[in-house]
Amino acid sequence: MAGEFFSGAASNAVGTLMVDYLVKPIERRLRYLFRFHKLIEDLHQQQKNLNREQTRVEEDVKEAKLQIQTQVIEDYVDEWLTNVENALKDVQNLDSRVGENKRCFRLCPNWCWRYQLGKEIEKKTVYISKLVEDSHFERIGHRAELPGLQFFTSKDILASKSSTAAFNKIMEALKDDEVNMIGVWGMGGVGKTTLVKEVGKKTKELGCFRKVIEVVVSQKSIIENIQDKIADFLDLKFEKKTKEGRAGELWLRLENEEKVLIILDDMWNKVHLKDIGIPLNENGKGCKIILTTRLLKVCESMECQVFVPIDVLDDDEAWTLFRMKANLNERVSRDILEEAEKVAKECKGLPVAIVTLATALESTKTRKGWEVARKKLESSRLVEIGNIGEEEKNAYLCIKMSYEHLKKETNQKCFLLCALYPEDHSINVEDLVRYAWCLELFGKADSIEEVRIQVLGAIDYLKDSSLLLKDGDGDGARNVKLHDIVRDVALWIASEEKSDFMIKSRLELLNKNSESSKAISLLDNEEKKFPGKLMHSKLEILLLKNCDIQGTCFLAMRELKVLNLTVAYDSERIISLYALTFLPKLRALHLENFKDFSFLGNLKTLEILSLDGWRSENLTNELGRLENLKILDLTKCIFSLSFPSNVIRRLSQLEELYLPELGIEISSDTFLEINFLTRLTSLSLGISFLHFPPDFEFPKLEKYKICLSRERGILSLMLDGARSLKIEQVFPYNAVSQLLGNLECLQVSDIKDEYVKCLTNRTQQKVPVPMILRSLKQVRIERCNNIKVVFQMEEVEENEAPFLSNLKILHLKGLPYLSCIWELPTQHVRLESLVELTIERCSRLKSLFSLSLGQSLILLEKLDISFCDELTQIVAELEEISSTINSHTSLCFPKLTMLRISNCDGLEYIFPTSLAPQGLQGLTLTIRDCPQLKQVFRVAKGNMLQHQQCLISLLSFSVSGCPQLTDSVVHLEAEKVSIEAVRLSAFKEWFKTSKQLKVKAIKDHNLVPEANEDGLNGVTSLQLRDCLYLECLVDTTTTATKNGPTSAFTHLETLFIADMLRLEALCKGQPAQGFLKNLKHLEVRECSKFQVVDELLHNREENQEHPLSNLQSLILYELPELRWIFKGSSHSFTLQSLKVVNIDGCGKLKSLFSSSLIQSLVLLEQLKIQDCHELVTIFNDGEIESKTSSLPLRLPKLKTLFINWCSKLECVVPITLAQGLPALASLSVCDCHELKQVFGMPNEKDGVQHHGSLLLPSLQDLKLISLRNLTSFVPQNYIVKAPSLKRLKANDCSKVTNLPIQQANNELELTLKELTFAMEDIDGEDVKSCNMVNTQLGQKSSDFKNITLGTSEQLDLFNVVRLREVATNLRELTIHNCNNLTYIFPVMFIQNLSQLSFLEIQSCENLKEIIGSDDILASSSSAQGPQLEMKMVFPRLKQIVLNYLSKLESFSPVGYHLEFPCLDFLDISQCSKLITSFSADYLTLIVHAKTDEASQLNDTSPSREAIFWKRRRPTFLPQYKEEAEEISPFK
């Protein structure tokens, strides 16, 4: 039987094998022959599918680039598009081969050919099908990472004893986990900002913080400005508009960031961090703060834990700095030095005064000159300078003397112009050029370019004089800044009566001597109103931002030459500009976010026009009438239509033309018009080459930014430079030839040529190639499939200057046939300026540099190489050369900070033998998916001894997908190490000293001792993810090692674990000494086998010390098998340091804390639990009852309690524990369907009466949502006192009969900022109000009836019967689905709504009036006969929304005249019975509303179904006509 069984099984197995190995292959081969046409049909079908998906993805890519200017397309999307393009070409080739062979074998098919081709077609069909399947990307692109703060080291500034001590003190404080707030204080100009910038730079270099954010706060401390600056750095786009809403978004973002340092510079007043949205560092999350201020009281009010004073320089330090800046070296005579030292003492040790004064007096070469300067300073002490102390007075006088020493009056005027900008504002030099032209600062000039040259010279002189600071990097940086004290001095000088250029920079100063002012600048973001009754007869410059100004104010400004008006993007404020036509001398106008330009054509004197924002319909027509225009700047304008012809030709005086960055459609006629502009020197233009005239040539220009693409070019995506070209598909050499001689930035993409015409001399060129190569600073070449070489010169003269010596940035992407970058004689090429090099998808490139070129890379900072399949070496190096290389010729990349290499299949090593290891200190090295990579450093056999035990310290090191990479003779060390998909044991030395270690998908079974025997005691942060083989961190069993590690992970503070299938414990065997003793943060996510967190740490014995005593945060996410957090004896461990507990998605967890554990939670601040459907108790009820009599339970620090989706939870907190929650500020309970009480009585029995009160002194926010079985907030007969409650929201809690919350001392009103109620089935009896937020309801009703409030700011009501009283401070009112309401406000209550700004009422079926008529009006009218119309004003109401109110008849009773002076938005729809009429005064923009008595009597009168009005479009309402009858003000 057994034999028959085995023989049968064998025969079945053999049969299966025969089918698999014989029959199926034959069947497949026959298919190639006899189903050939079906294979072709399948291929063509997949080709159509792929074409469809290609079009869709390309459209998505275009949309992504257009919508977000900083959008970066994902690499995998680019790779997919490249693969699609190649696949479609392959299909075309296959089709042509099929066609050719059909013609050759019409009657008798060639079976060999058909078989081979059928096989290829099937393979290609499968490949294309896979491409179609992979075309649905989660995202097309992402926002480019914003560059980090470029902290600068102050050059030539002497490090004083005070600043050095302060620096060390700050660095020590930042290391202390208990310190969150550091205050740096000292007088203005002492060097606080310079110091904290140095701290920021140093901490970032050391990796102490992942992000360092610097925000200048300044005197006004506008919260929204601070929020915007932080959000910009975090790339956070606010969804909320209110200050509070934005603060919440910012808080959530920063709370989830690790290691963030925020520098709040130049603070003058206390700022509440919570109002901004800044959480302080707790549990490894949140932020640490350094603030700088001149006032010690600011440090005290901000509750800084460490105070860092900075003093002025002592006499020796001050004299040393003064000598250095004044160039008083040892060759200067003794008598001059003595006199100069006396001058230096007048600076009183203040660095900013020393630097500016010493620089100003540098040219003083005689003792007499120094004596005059000293006497002038001494006599100036008598000058009165208001509002500053004696110490700062000396700084003012020194800086003023520096100003007076400026050689030219024009330099002084340029300096004063800089004071027009707000404190710490970046000053665009181009603005100063335009102001100087209009003011004729340099006299009558022939051109604006002539003025620009002089302004740039003056700015350079001011920077050399230390009166201006450079703001930005690079040659193209055209922005400067003023130190705040220097700006104060400039304003002080300009405010003097004798000043020839009086400036007013603050609204409160306009009433003082305003008539003499020549300049007024109010450019801060704060909203303000310009005073309308002042005379400004001498005013020449007016700069306003977010300022409400009446058009009549301009009539008195007869001398005005420069006007800059900016309103917020979403502002509804309208400024009437018709009065500008009466300004006879207006020469420059800048308007931002304006829409109506109908007046522009009348401004005949206008020479400079700059517009920013969406265009209006009539803009281009008006532009053509400005015949004196010299600058037209539409850079930030957005045109929805094409730019019409015959506009540019009429602007014959135009010198500079800047068309929109996002490109416009321009006809060929418009191109030709450019040649009519004979004075044109600057041009910015983005257009499509489809409209490009074939014979057109650009004129010679001084500056240009030109983009020629298939569609309209987007200038904002171009490289930044004064002279830039971007060319797509076709290189129009003749058209741009006159621009090439001074070309700085060149971008080329998608051309079909084998070379870029202007970068090679293979053909006859109009412009010498050497000239182009010497001026180039940035080059980007992308997606040019045929290019074989980038820079090429066949013949070079011996005396030629070096080529490419100014090249700073080079990007080469998608050049599949590129085999050489530089085909130039080596001796004529110097890459001494190259800072950034990116090479991507250049598959045939074998090396990047020759050895001599590599040696010239002294400034290279960033090198990024990816998808270069045939790249074998970065620096080409012959073996025989490398063996004889000398130290003075060895490679060294002294500035290299980032090297990233990925997907280079042929690369075997990165750095050659000749590299000097000391050149890589501080490098961030990232290597991804290089399967042949064996060594980071190639060490030749002859050099083994030379490099033996060589160590190179990197800043960070990351490697993944490099299976052959092993440790070599040259060892790498880094503080930050990330390793993926390798064996750690292959290179143990590489992370021996690491502090931050990330491990993913490694093949080791443990970290200690298999990967490292020393215990990794230096590691402070460890992340583990997807390590399928890892069973534990430490294995101390005898099977792992004989002796075992003596200690392990003794300094580990942060441990993150995710997706670990085999990991059941972190330590196998008896724990090593000090194991996890300093663990502070533990996070475990998506580990399917975890059942007990406590047992995860190690196999603990009963009397063993538990390692959780220092644990500060515990985060558990998606652990489906987790049943206990802590199991076993509750006395064997303590959670004395725990502050944050977040538990999410632990479906089998039933309880959390025992009473003994509760007693140890003395620091717990945040408890969040959600999606724990089996959770019955958070705190063990039985134990609590037995313990409370002897030892009260308290959670003294608990601030936030959040419970969501815990369906079996019946009680959140027992009432006995609730008495011990003094710090609880936020309580949110949502979607807990079995919950009956929030604060419950354990084992409460029916009929047993309990009386008491619960005090929650800190509770501010209470939210109860979707609690369908909730019957009461607290046990029966309990009263809750919550004196701090500000926001209360109750929604979908239909069984609630008791919510007895009141203020302490039984006050009748509750101070709330927000209140929202949404209840069901409102149709019960009326109930009297009492002293609770929502009344204690009677036995017969379970429904809320009325609400009594004190000072609410926001009120949201859903399904409420009657609104009895509303807060006097009410700002927002939202009412939905309140079907029993018949009116909202009684007439007499309107005077209490002076703060109301938002009113929304929707879906209230029985609502008839917004303002209800009452007996007062009726009685007065009957007693006195005809009455005066009563005027009623809503002074701050901005938005009114009335929707779906089918019975609404009037907004107000008959006889009332309503005015809305601030209304921005009115939306009334589906209110068919409304008879109240609305109108708008087009001059004042006040909206009026009246209810006509005749209309009220006539029920058949027609009603408007919808009323929609916006302040920007006042004509959407009819014009208001003032009637003759008298109006009585309502009182």
Side-chain angles (χ1 to χ4, degrees), residues 1048-1098:
F1049 294 105
T1050 55
H1051 290 85
L1052 188 65
E1053 297 181 359
T1054 302
L1055 176 58
F1056 174 90
I1057 303 169
D1059 300 301
M1060 306 284 284
L1061 298 182
R1062 295 189 182 183
L1063 191 66
E1064 296 181 359
L1066 299 186
C1067 183
K1068 184 183 290 187
Q1070 189 67 20
Q1073 184 178 353
F1075 178 62
L1076 300 181
K1077 68 176 183 180
N1078 287 306
L1079 188 65
K1080 295 180 180 178
H1081 313 291
L1082 174 61
E1083 183 169 351
V1084 186
R1085 305 175 72 89
E1086 297 179 290
C1087 296
S1088 57
K1089 290 188 177 181
F1090 286 167
Q1091 294 188 11
V1092 186
V1093 173
D1094 185 32
E1095 290 180 357
L1096 165 67
L1097 297 171
H1098 54 74

Side-chain angles (χ1 to χ4, degrees), residues 851 872-873 875-886 908-909 911-914 935 937-944 946-947:
L851 183 60
T872 57
Q873 47 191 351
V875 179
E877 184 181 39
L878 298 177
E879 189 70 36
E880 58 270 17
I881 295 177
S882 61
S883 62
T884 59
I885 212 154
N886 296 322
E908 295 187 5
Y909 69 92
F911 297 111
T913 306
S914 53
Q935 295 177 316
F937 291 87
R938 175 176 176 263
V939 181
K941 293 181 180 180
N943 292 338
M944 292 285 285
Q946 175 184 342
H947 291 274

